[in-house]
Amino acid sequence: MSDTPPARRTAAHESAAEQAHPEPGSGPSLGPEELRAMADGTLIERMGLQIFQAAPERCVGTMPVAGNTQPYGLLHGGASVVLAETLGSVAAMLAAGPGRYAVGVDISATHHRATREGVVTGVATAVHLGRTTACYEIVITDERDRRVCTSRLTCALRDAEPAADHLSGPA
């Protein structure tokens, strides 16, 4: 699923690709086709994010720096936050389970260093997986495995509401 040129792939990229299919029994996960379909027509696609692994405990993806910069040519801090929230939200959606959904309620980010080129890799790791909340630490690194950003995302896990026919108005 990666378009990252082999010369630009880091150990993190290789590790993510190897873990794209977790061992059975390790929780729900999404396969490559499901991940691609989820991105179609969304901000994920627009920003060039690729997700390699998606499970409740861990979600791994990449984002190109090109096209996601601020006017000075540096990776935009908001782009890092988009990568972080996407990875954490996908993992939280899987943690919520069938008939439930996840909604972000808090995100923070600390930007450690600037980067001007290449690809950044994000790894969302569960800090807390509960019945009503899920919390993730997301670490974003550059191609030299230097930390670019650390983010924390908290999601509320909710029961899906039944279809609200009354919202469409009188027939």
Side-chain angles (χ1 to χ4, degrees):
M1 180 166 142
S2 174
D3 292 331
T4 305
R8 294 211 171 212
R9 292 178 61 90
T10 65
H13 291 102
E14 295 303 327
S15 174
E18 290 169 9
Q19 296 176 17
H21 298 288
E23 292 297 317
S26 65
S29 63
L30 296 175
E33 293 79 26
E34 295 164 304
L35 291 168
R36 271 192 292 277
M38 180 178 61
D40 286 348
T42 68
L43 187 60
I44 296 169
E45 181 179 60
R46 181 175 302 238
M47 295 188 70
L49 277 64
Q50 293 188 38
I51 301 174
F52 295 98
Q53 175 189 8
E57 302 83 12
R58 188 169 189 261
C59 189
V60 180
T62 61
M63 179 180 66
V65 173
N68 294 312
T69 59
Q70 39 97 314
Y72 300 112
L74 304 173
L75 177 64
H76 195 291
S80 293
V81 174
V82 167
L83 176 60
E85 186 163 9
T86 299
L87 297 175
S89 293
V90 168
M93 172 194 67
L94 293 168
R100 304 188 78 211
Y101 66 98
V103 59
V105 295
D106 184 61
I107 189 164
S108 64
T110 300
H111 304 287
H112 305 290
R113 73 172 53 246
T115 187
R116 292 181 178 275
E117 60 186 12
V119 174
V120 292
T121 299
V123 179
T125 305
V127 174
H128 168 77
L129 294 176
R131 189 181 67 76
T132 60
T133 60
C135 183
Y136 293 87
E137 178 183 61
I138 303 95
V139 175
I140 300 173
T141 56
D142 65 14
E143 290 178 330
R144 292 173 50 194
D145 207 28
R146 298 178 302 178
R147 193 176 288 223
V148 172
C149 177
T150 303
S151 183
R152 183 172 295 255
L153 172 70
T154 302
C155 291
L157 307 180
R158 309 253 182 199
D159 292 329
E161 308 244 344
D165 292 335
H166 66 281
L167 295 178
S168 60

